[in-house]
């Protein structure tokens, strides 16, 4: 899952950067201003954008334009999550309070991407080695199933 944190607050960026790997996810990309946000969105490979609406230079029309550009026909649009201060009103369908809380972030990401949550859960439960063993066993089972199917079609 490719995640972008768009926030000019260094502490919030550091916190998010530390939380995501602990949840079994890749470290996020960071955009500390609107120019960096524009550049990151132009790549087009983001799954989730955590955006602080108080990012300097980001107002409602700019946010709407960024969301529309990111939702072009060529790529699946990222899911936008608003990072709220204690008094901000939610303007996006999904929001988290600042400072980010591990459990709230994890619960939200599980809802957004079931497959990522499942793999992260497996790794947390069985470790990377255990997951590799399970995958090897599944691959072996697939080979056996393919041989059985090949015999049935002859």
């Amino acid at each position: 899952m490719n995640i972008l944190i768009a926030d000019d607050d260094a502490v919030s960026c550091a916190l998010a950067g530390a939380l995501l790997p602990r949840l079994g996810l890749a470290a996020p990309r960071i955009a500390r201003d609107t120019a960096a946000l524009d550049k990151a969105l132009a790549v087009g490979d983001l799954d989730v954008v955590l955006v602080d609406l108080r990012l300097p230079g980001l107002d409602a029309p700019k946010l709407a334009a960024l969301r529309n550009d990111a939702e072009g026909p060529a790529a699946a649009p990222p899911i936008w999550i608003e990072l709220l201060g204690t008094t901000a009103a939610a303007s996006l369908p999904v929001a988290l309070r600042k400072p980010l809380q591990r459990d709230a972030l994890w619960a939200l990401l599980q809802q957004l991407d079931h497959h990522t949550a499942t793999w992260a859960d497996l790794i947390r439960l069985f470790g990377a080695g255990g997951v590799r063993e399970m995958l090897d066993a599944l691959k072996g089972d697939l080979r056996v199933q393919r041989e059985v199917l090949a015999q049935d079609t002859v």
Side-chain angles (χ1 to χ4, degrees):
M1 178 181 287
N2 294 319
I3 299 175
L4 173 69
I5 309 295
D7 195 334
D8 63 320
D9 180 12
V11 174
S12 292
C13 291
L15 179 60
L19 278 177
L20 291 167
R22 289 183 186 164
L23 295 173
L25 300 167
R29 286 183 245 163
I30 305 293
R32 300 281 305 275
D33 56 36
T34 54
L37 178 57
D38 288 337
K39 187 175 180 180
L41 290 170
V43 175
D45 66 341
L46 295 169
D47 300 304
V48 176
V49 177
L50 293 165
V51 60
D52 180 2
L53 293 187
R54 291 181 288 173
L55 186 69
L58 185 64
D59 55 16
K62 172 76 172 168
L63 178 63
L66 288 171
R67 290 184 67 202
N68 288 337
D69 290 346
E71 294 175 3
I79 296 166
W80 291 75
I81 301 171
E82 183 175 323
L83 298 175
L84 298 173
T86 55
T87 60
S91 63
L92 295 176
V94 183
L96 287 172
R97 292 261 174 229
K98 286 174 64 174
L100 285 176
Q101 301 294 314
R102 182 181 60 97
D103 292 340
L105 178 61
W106 180 244
L108 183 58
L109 291 175
Q110 279 185 308
Q111 292 172 4
L112 299 177
D113 188 331
H114 179 67
H115 297 292
T116 299
T118 301
W119 283 111
D121 286 340
L122 286 173
I123 291 169
R124 193 177 2 269
L125 289 170
F126 302 107
V131 172
R132 277 191 214 99
E133 288 176 22
M134 284 189 282
L135 289 173
D136 289 341
L138 288 170
K139 287 179 196 173
D141 188 51
L142 287 174
R143 281 191 285 277
V144 170
Q145 294 297 328
R146 187 176 24 194
E147 290 171 9
V148 170
L149 286 173
Q151 291 172 1
D152 287 346
T153 58
V154 173

